Amino acid sequence: MTEKIGVLGKKSPQRTGVERIVNAPLPTVYGQFRAVGYLDHDRGDEQVALVHGDIGAEGVLTRLHSECLTGDAFGSQHCECGDQLAFALKAVAAEGSGVVIYLRGHEGRGIGLLAKLRAMALQAEGLDTVEANLALGLPVDARDYGVAAGILHDLGVNSVRLMSNNPRKREALVQHGIEVAETVPLLIPPCESNITYLRTKRERLDHVLPHLDAVAHLS
């Protein structure tokens, strides 16, 4: 814990880590959830975990969903994010319990909304998603999952069944003390608008996307 100097010259503690702020009922089209809101004192982001049912501590069905305004809110077909979010919420409701952590600050794999849109413009000119970020002088993936692990710890979760195709999420949770008992694939049928993006995620970012082999006809 770090300290800051108060107005009278006295040192006062500065909060670090993640702090639970509110727990509110959230009825959705997928079922009844609790929206547990957190403040990430390290980055200043407001975060939320959508909790369904009595989750327990072990083997909790869990999705770490990176914020994606274009996909989650606007239905963009440039990516599969919106469909993944809907699938995860449906899966948790069908399971009877689980957690979907919506990670703000992860827009564009952590580069932010405007930078993501600039990268998308470069992709429209022929670069892939990795090349576009690098052309802008930005990291390929700047996301950090420490806050997600902190939220899971606060919720009393020790191990998860992680809905993800990204092995880096599994590695990050393990590094932060969350056991990953199983990785549950989250495979969304591709379309012509996102097939190149998805193939790049498989070939250059190590995402596990075996279903792409069956859609060779897409450009």
Side-chain angles (χ1 to χ4, degrees):
M1 173 135 350
T2 58
E3 292 184 326
K4 62 181 180 180
I5 303 298
V7 293
L8 298 179
K10 296 181 179 179
K11 291 183 177 180
S12 58
Q14 179 174 320
R15 296 292 300 269
T16 59
V18 64
E19 178 188 7
R20 185 191 296 207
I21 302 297
V22 63
N23 185 342
L26 185 70
T28 76
V29 295
Y30 309 106
Q32 184 71 38
F33 286 80
R34 289 184 290 121
V36 187
Y38 292 87
L39 179 59
D40 177 0
H41 288 283
D42 297 319
R43 300 175 61 93
D45 294 322
E46 296 174 333
Q47 306 288 3
V48 64
L50 300 184
V51 180
H52 180 73
D54 297 323
I55 56 175
E58 308 296 333
V60 178
L61 187 62
T62 300
R63 166 72 177 164
L64 310 184
H65 189 84
S66 294
E67 175 184 27
C68 177
L69 179 67
T70 51
D72 300 338
F74 303 149
S76 169
Q77 290 190 319
H78 181 269
C79 62
E80 81 279 38
C81 299
D83 288 334
Q84 285 188 320
L85 178 59
F87 184 98
L89 291 167
K90 290 176 184 177
V92 164
E95 178 86 1
S97 66
V99 181
V100 176
I101 299 177
Y102 194 85
L103 291 164
R104 304 187 65 203
H106 278 203
E107 187 78 55
R109 297 196 301 275
I111 63 174
L113 177 60
L114 296 183
K116 182 180 81 168
L117 293 176
R118 291 172 65 198
M120 288 169 61
L122 291 177
Q123 290 171 64
E125 296 175 1
L127 298 186
D128 67 32
T129 183
V130 171
E131 294 166 343
N133 281 32
L134 294 176
L136 293 170
L138 298 170
V140 173
D141 193 336
R143 290 174 293 181
D144 180 88
Y145 298 99
V147 66
I151 289 172
L152 290 170
H153 283 302
D154 178 74
L155 292 172
V157 175
N158 297 322
S159 74
V160 298
R161 292 157 50 225
L162 182 66
M163 289 185 281
S164 179
N165 310 316
N166 183 357
R168 290 184 177 88
K169 288 186 180 180
R170 179 189 187 117
E171 294 165 3
L173 284 183
V174 171
Q175 290 173 359
H176 288 284
I178 299 293
E179 178 188 352
V180 180
E182 179 186 0
T183 299
V184 180
L186 196 57
L187 305 178
I188 305 300
C191 65
E192 187 173 350
S193 297
N194 65 25
I195 185 64
T196 298
Y197 170 77
L198 293 176
R199 285 174 177 152
T200 300
K201 289 212 298 185
R202 181 174 70 171
E203 295 163 9
R204 304 196 64 178
L205 298 173
D206 301 322
H207 288 223
V208 182
L209 300 168
H211 67 311
L212 298 186
D213 295 331
V215 290
H217 64 283
L218 291 177
S219 61

